[in-house]
Amino acid sequence: MTLPLALATSEAMTTSSFPDWHGTTILAVRKGGKTVIAGDGQVSMGQTVVKGNARKVRTLAGGKVLAGFAGATADAFTLIERLEAKLEQYPDQLARACVDLAKDWRTDRYLRKLEAMLLVADKEQIFTVTGVGDVLEPETGVAAIGSGGNYALAAALALAETDLDAETLARRAMAIAARICVYTNGELTVESL
Protein backbone atom coordinates (compact mmCIF):
# COMPACT_ATOMS: atom_id res chain seq x y z
CA MET A 1 0.00 0.00 0.00
CA THR A 2 1.38 3.42 -0.92
CA LEU A 3 0.61 6.52 1.08
CA PRO A 4 -0.80 9.61 -0.57
CA LEU A 5 1.98 12.06 -1.39
CA ALA A 6 0.88 14.64 1.21
CA LEU A 7 0.74 12.02 3.96
CA ALA A 8 4.07 10.48 2.95
CA THR A 9 5.70 13.89 2.94
CA SER A 10 4.20 14.80 6.30
CA GLU A 11 5.32 11.48 7.79
CA ALA A 12 8.84 11.95 6.42
CA MET A 13 9.02 15.42 7.96
CA THR A 14 8.09 14.12 11.40
CA THR A 15 10.34 11.06 11.35
CA SER A 16 13.44 12.75 10.02
CA SER A 17 15.22 15.90 11.03
CA PHE A 18 15.01 19.13 9.10
CA PRO A 19 17.31 19.38 6.07
CA ASP A 20 20.92 20.18 6.81
CA TRP A 21 21.90 23.83 6.69
CA HIS A 22 25.12 24.32 4.78
CA GLY A 23 26.95 27.18 3.28
CA THR A 24 29.79 28.59 5.26
CA THR A 25 33.42 29.15 4.49
CA ILE A 26 35.45 31.07 7.05
CA LEU A 27 39.16 31.71 6.50
CA ALA A 28 41.73 33.34 8.80
CA VAL A 29 45.08 34.56 7.50
CA ARG A 30 47.93 36.13 9.48
CA LYS A 31 50.72 37.55 7.35
CA GLY A 32 52.99 40.57 7.40
CA GLY A 33 51.78 41.77 10.78
CA LYS A 34 48.13 41.77 9.70
CA THR A 35 45.36 39.33 10.65
CA VAL A 36 42.27 38.88 8.48
CA ILE A 37 39.15 36.76 8.80
CA ALA A 38 36.96 36.42 5.70
CA GLY A 39 33.59 34.70 5.49
CA ASP A 40 31.23 34.10 2.61
CA GLY A 41 27.55 35.00 2.79
CA GLN A 42 25.76 31.90 1.56
CA VAL A 43 23.31 29.93 3.66
CA SER A 44 21.79 26.87 2.02
CA MET A 45 19.09 24.47 3.12
CA GLY A 46 19.44 21.23 1.22
CA GLN A 47 19.79 22.21 -2.44
CA THR A 48 18.32 25.68 -1.99
CA VAL A 49 20.20 28.91 -1.33
CA VAL A 50 18.20 30.59 1.43
CA LYS A 51 20.34 33.70 1.83
CA GLY A 52 23.33 35.01 -0.05
CA ASN A 53 24.59 37.86 2.10
CA ALA A 54 24.75 36.54 5.67
CA ARG A 55 27.38 38.18 7.89
CA LYS A 56 29.36 35.45 9.67
CA VAL A 57 32.40 37.46 10.78
CA ARG A 58 32.39 39.79 13.79
CA THR A 59 34.79 42.04 15.71
CA LEU A 60 34.94 41.53 19.48
CA ALA A 61 36.73 42.97 22.52
CA GLY A 62 36.62 46.55 21.30
CA GLY A 63 38.05 45.62 17.90
CA LYS A 64 40.98 43.58 19.26
CA VAL A 65 39.57 40.15 18.33
CA LEU A 66 37.94 38.76 15.20
CA ALA A 67 35.55 35.79 15.16
CA GLY A 68 33.93 33.87 12.33
CA PHE A 69 31.45 31.05 12.71
CA ALA A 70 30.20 28.01 10.88
CA GLY A 71 27.12 26.01 11.82
CA ALA A 72 23.76 26.90 13.27
CA THR A 73 23.48 30.69 13.49
CA ALA A 74 21.68 30.94 16.83
CA ASP A 75 24.15 28.46 18.33
CA ALA A 76 27.08 30.45 16.97
CA PHE A 77 25.70 33.72 18.37
CA THR A 78 25.34 32.07 21.77
CA LEU A 79 28.98 30.97 21.61
CA ILE A 80 30.18 34.38 20.46
CA GLU A 81 28.35 36.00 23.40
CA ARG A 82 30.03 33.52 25.76
CA LEU A 83 33.41 34.23 24.15
CA GLU A 84 32.89 37.97 24.61
CA ALA A 85 32.21 37.37 28.31
CA LYS A 86 35.41 35.31 28.56
CA LEU A 87 37.37 38.07 26.82
CA GLU A 88 36.05 40.55 29.39
CA GLN A 89 37.05 38.16 32.16
CA TYR A 90 40.52 37.59 30.63
CA PRO A 91 41.41 40.78 28.73
CA ASP A 92 44.21 40.42 26.20
CA GLN A 93 44.39 36.66 26.87
CA LEU A 94 42.77 35.15 23.79
CA ALA A 95 44.16 31.65 24.34
CA ARG A 96 42.86 31.51 27.91
CA ALA A 97 39.43 32.83 26.87
CA CYS A 98 39.18 30.22 24.10
CA VAL A 99 40.26 27.35 26.35
CA ASP A 100 37.79 28.42 29.03
CA LEU A 101 35.00 28.64 26.44
CA ALA A 102 35.86 25.19 25.05
CA LYS A 103 35.85 23.75 28.57
CA ASP A 104 32.41 25.22 29.30
CA TRP A 105 31.15 24.15 25.87
CA ARG A 106 32.19 20.55 26.46
CA THR A 107 30.96 20.24 30.04
CA ASP A 108 27.79 22.36 30.19
CA ARG A 109 24.67 20.32 29.37
CA TYR A 110 23.04 23.18 27.44
CA LEU A 111 26.15 24.31 25.55
CA ARG A 112 27.08 20.73 24.62
CA LYS A 113 24.10 20.65 22.22
CA LEU A 114 25.23 23.70 20.26
CA GLU A 115 26.18 22.93 16.68
CA ALA A 116 28.74 25.45 15.51
CA MET A 117 32.47 26.09 15.24
CA LEU A 118 34.40 29.29 15.79
CA LEU A 119 37.50 30.68 14.15
CA VAL A 120 38.95 33.32 16.47
CA ALA A 121 41.99 35.55 16.01
CA ASP A 122 43.87 38.52 17.36
CA LYS A 123 47.06 40.10 15.99
CA GLU A 124 49.28 37.26 17.24
CA GLN A 125 47.15 34.10 17.28
CA ILE A 126 44.47 32.17 15.41
CA PHE A 127 42.37 29.46 17.08
CA THR A 128 39.75 27.00 15.89
CA VAL A 129 37.36 26.31 18.77
CA THR A 130 35.01 23.30 18.68
CA GLY A 131 32.36 21.77 20.88
CA VAL A 132 34.41 18.65 21.56
CA GLY A 133 36.92 20.67 23.53
CA ASP A 134 39.41 21.48 20.78
CA VAL A 135 41.29 24.76 20.76
CA LEU A 136 43.61 24.39 17.80
CA GLU A 137 46.27 26.86 16.73
CA PRO A 138 47.46 26.26 13.17
CA GLU A 139 51.13 25.57 12.45
CA THR A 140 50.99 28.20 9.74
CA GLY A 141 49.25 31.55 9.80
CA VAL A 142 46.21 30.09 8.04
CA ALA A 143 43.08 28.30 9.31
CA ALA A 144 39.63 27.61 7.88
CA ILE A 145 36.29 26.09 8.88
CA GLY A 146 32.98 25.34 7.21
CA SER A 147 31.82 23.37 4.22
CA GLY A 148 34.26 25.12 1.89
CA GLY A 149 36.97 25.45 4.52
CA ASN A 150 39.32 22.85 3.08
CA TYR A 151 39.20 24.49 -0.35
CA ALA A 152 39.93 27.92 1.11
CA LEU A 153 42.67 26.50 3.32
CA ALA A 154 44.42 24.76 0.42
CA ALA A 155 44.22 27.88 -1.74
CA ALA A 156 45.50 30.12 1.08
CA LEU A 157 48.41 27.79 1.85
CA ALA A 158 49.42 27.83 -1.83
CA LEU A 159 49.09 31.62 -2.03
CA ALA A 160 50.97 32.17 1.26
CA GLU A 161 54.26 31.70 -0.62
CA THR A 162 53.51 34.72 -2.82
CA ASP A 163 54.03 38.39 -1.97
CA LEU A 164 50.28 39.00 -1.52
CA ASP A 165 49.24 40.84 1.64
CA ALA A 166 46.93 39.07 4.12
CA GLU A 167 43.67 40.60 2.89
CA THR A 168 44.35 40.06 -0.81
CA LEU A 169 45.45 36.49 -0.07
CA ALA A 170 42.25 35.82 1.91
CA ARG A 171 40.04 37.31 -0.80
CA ARG A 172 41.71 35.26 -3.56
CA ALA A 173 41.56 32.03 -1.53
CA MET A 174 37.87 32.62 -0.81
CA ALA A 175 37.22 33.25 -4.52
CA ILE A 176 38.84 29.90 -5.33
CA ALA A 177 36.72 28.15 -2.68
CA ALA A 178 33.57 29.77 -4.10
CA ARG A 179 34.39 28.39 -7.55
CA ILE A 180 34.69 24.84 -6.17
CA CYS A 181 32.25 24.53 -3.25
CA VAL A 182 28.55 24.79 -4.11
CA TYR A 183 27.84 25.90 -0.53
CA THR A 184 30.13 28.95 -0.79
CA ASN A 185 29.57 32.23 -2.63
CA GLY A 186 31.59 35.35 -3.37
CA GLU A 187 29.66 37.72 -1.08
CA LEU A 188 32.42 38.27 1.46
CA THR A 189 32.63 39.89 4.86
CA VAL A 190 36.27 40.69 5.60
CA GLU A 191 37.52 42.08 8.92
CA SER A 192 41.15 42.81 9.72
CA LEU A 193 43.46 43.76 12.58
Side-chain angles (χ1 to χ4, degrees):
M1 178 177 139
T2 59
L3 296 172
L5 180 59
L7 182 56
T9 305
S10 173
E11 185 177 332
M13 288 296 282
T14 59
T15 59
S16 67
S17 62
F18 286 100
D20 290 331
W21 290 80
H22 294 282
T24 301
T25 301
I26 305 293
L27 174 67
V29 175
R30 192 178 72 247
K31 184 177 180 186
K34 189 172 182 182
T35 301
V36 174
I37 293 187
D40 81 308
Q42 183 168 312
V43 177
S44 304
M45 185 174 64
Q47 298 176 344
T48 304
V49 175
V50 177
K51 185 172 182 170
N53 63 347
R55 192 173 186 289
K56 304 172 213 169
V57 178
R58 303 278 190 263
T59 58
L60 310 174
K64 294 180 184 177
V65 174
L66 303 175
F69 65 85
T73 305
D75 292 357
F77 284 154
T78 299
L79 293 167
I80 286 176
E81 287 173 6
R82 295 282 180 126
L83 177 61
E84 280 193 293
K86 298 294 182 187
L87 290 167
E88 287 176 13
Q89 186 177 357
Y90 307 115
D92 300 319
Q93 298 181 56
L94 182 61
R96 185 170 183 186
C98 288
V99 168
D100 214 40
L101 173 66
K103 182 178 71 172
D104 289 352
W105 191 354
R106 183 169 170 84
T107 58
D108 183 275
R109 180 174 284 161
Y110 166 73
L111 293 178
R112 211 176 318 153
K113 296 179 183 183
L114 299 181
E115 297 180 4
M117 290 180 74
L118 298 178
L119 196 54
V120 183
D122 63 12
K123 285 192 172 215
E124 290 83 38
Q125 302 166 306
I126 298 172
F127 295 105
T128 302
V129 185
T130 73
V132 295
D134 293 323
V135 178
L136 305 170
E137 186 173 17
E139 293 177 357
T140 63
V142 178
I145 59 173
S147 52
N150 286 336
Y151 304 115
L153 179 64
L157 288 171
L159 292 169
E161 301 300 320
T162 68
D163 61 353
L164 296 175
D165 64 86
E167 184 172 336
T168 304
L169 191 154
R171 287 182 181 279
R172 287 199 183 165
M174 290 293 289
I176 291 168
R179 288 175 37 202
I180 299 168
C181 178
V182 297
Y183 297 114
T184 303
N185 71 12
E187 294 291 322
L188 299 181
T189 300
V190 180
E191 296 288 351
S192 61
L193 299 172

